[in-house]
Amino acid sequence: MIRLKAISRLLAASVMALTMAVSSPSFAGDSEDAFAAYYSGDYETAFSLFTKAAEQGDAWAQLNLGMMYRDGKGVPQDYKSTIDWYTKAANQGRADAEYNLGVMYYEAKGVLQDYRTALHWYTKAANQGYADAQHNLGVIYGDGIGVLQDYRTALHWYTKAAEQGSAPAQSNLGLLYDNGRGIPQDYRAAVHWYNKAAEQGHPNGQYNLGLMYAGGKGVLQNYVLAHMWFNIAASNGNGEGAKSRDIVGGWMTPSQIGEAQRLAREWVAKH
């Protein structure tokens, strides 16, 4: 029996490299030197320079100093200090700090687990357009974590994140359309969003798209494409992909299996 659809869980905190390269303001003085030191592997110098800039009120430095405490780079790991510096940056309105602070409260790192406070910070980041926070709000409302379960609100946040290109949100948005949760059931819309996630390499989106082809939901039934997507999902770590691929393979001719394998190889080579 082919298993049910896969859902993506909450995303973790952003990493130092992403924040520095993408979210940083124009570099100046200590922050610029700290950035260079960090990427050269000189974490102690980076920590010292970020500390100097952070104590002067530089929100970007405060965020990255919090990450260094979180990751134990240039300083012993200290989640309480991470919370302190994230909070300072978040109080200056940095969406990435708000998001990371939400993760700390959700995961009970340096603080007692507090879903409502996590929700507060995720919402602030999400309202600034931070896609990972929008996705996590979708999960929280969809699963009823610390709030009443509310599929319409989950749909709202998944849609915002999905439209920004978040593959986990695209996959989960497809699942809401697939199951008719928060919106009338619409298999074509489900396929649309699963496909967007799948093309970005998201294993749950790939697996769910395979299920749609296997069942002929929103698309013409096509075991070759189902096999292809199950195979790709399995190679990307989806735990049910291989089982579902083998089940579908039992309904196919050897030539169809060969065609599905060829298509899978071609897709992987292009991506």
Side-chain angles (χ1 to χ4, degrees):
M1 178 180 177
I2 295 179
R3 297 295 295 273
L4 299 175
K5 305 294 192 297
I7 186 167
S8 302
R9 310 316 306 168
L10 267 71
L11 300 174
S14 57
V15 297
M16 176 75 75
L18 176 63
T19 302
M20 285 187 168
V22 178
S23 302
S24 62
S26 57
F27 301 135
D30 295 325
S31 291
E32 182 178 11
D33 292 340
F35 176 83
Y38 184 91
Y39 278 102
S40 72
D42 185 356
Y43 298 132
E44 290 186 3
T45 297
F47 175 80
S48 176
L49 293 171
F50 273 136
T51 299
K52 182 178 179 181
E55 288 175 344
Q56 293 174 353
D58 184 327
W60 178 69
Q62 291 167 348
L63 169 67
N64 286 309
L65 185 59
M67 290 182 178
M68 295 195 79
Y69 274 111
R70 181 196 68 195
D71 298 338
K73 290 186 174 179
V75 66
Q77 189 177 61
D78 182 348
Y79 288 146
K80 289 188 179 296
S81 292
T82 296
I83 291 286
D84 289 343
W85 288 111
Y86 280 171
T87 301
K88 289 179 186 293
N91 284 337
Q92 294 199 61
R94 283 202 66 101
D96 40 11
E98 293 165 347
Y99 168 73
N100 281 2
L101 192 53
V103 172
M104 299 296 284
Y105 278 99
Y106 186 89
E107 296 183 349
K109 291 182 175 178
V111 289
L112 294 175
Q113 191 169 56
D114 186 339
Y115 293 140
R116 288 195 173 276
T117 301
L119 179 72
H120 167 78
W121 288 113
Y122 283 149
T123 301
K124 289 180 75 70
N127 283 332
Q128 292 198 65
Y130 203 83
D132 286 354
Q134 292 168 342
H135 168 270
N136 283 6
L137 284 178
V139 175
I140 285 172
Y141 281 103
D143 287 358
I145 303 170
V147 295
L148 291 176
Q149 191 173 54
D150 184 343
Y151 290 128
R152 290 184 65 85
T153 301
L155 178 81
H156 168 79
W157 289 115
Y158 280 147
T159 300
K160 285 186 172 294
E163 288 176 346
Q164 292 197 69
S166 167
Q170 291 166 347
S171 181
N172 285 351
L173 182 58
L175 196 61
L176 292 183
Y177 278 105
D178 196 349
N179 293 328
R181 290 177 173 171
I183 198 166
Q185 191 172 56
D186 185 339
Y187 290 142
R188 285 182 176 272
V191 168
H192 170 79
W193 289 111
Y194 288 153
N195 187 70
K196 282 188 171 293
E199 287 294 338
Q200 291 198 69
H202 193 267
N204 289 350
Q206 293 164 343
Y207 176 76
N208 290 348
L209 186 57
L211 289 176
M212 301 303 275
Y213 277 110
K217 293 182 177 180
V219 289
L220 292 175
Q221 190 174 58
N222 189 320
Y223 291 152
V224 170
L225 292 179
H227 189 287
M228 169 194 134
W229 283 117
F230 288 147
N231 203 11
I232 294 170
S235 70
N236 285 329
N238 181 278
E240 299 299 324
K243 296 176 185 177
S244 296
R245 176 200 62 206
D246 293 343
I247 290 171
V248 170
W251 307 333
M252 299 165 65
T253 66
S255 63
Q256 287 176 321
I257 293 173
E259 174 69 3
Q261 292 172 338
R262 181 186 66 80
L263 291 173
R265 288 194 299 270
E266 289 178 356
W267 189 93
V268 170
K270 290 178 181 178
H271 294 80

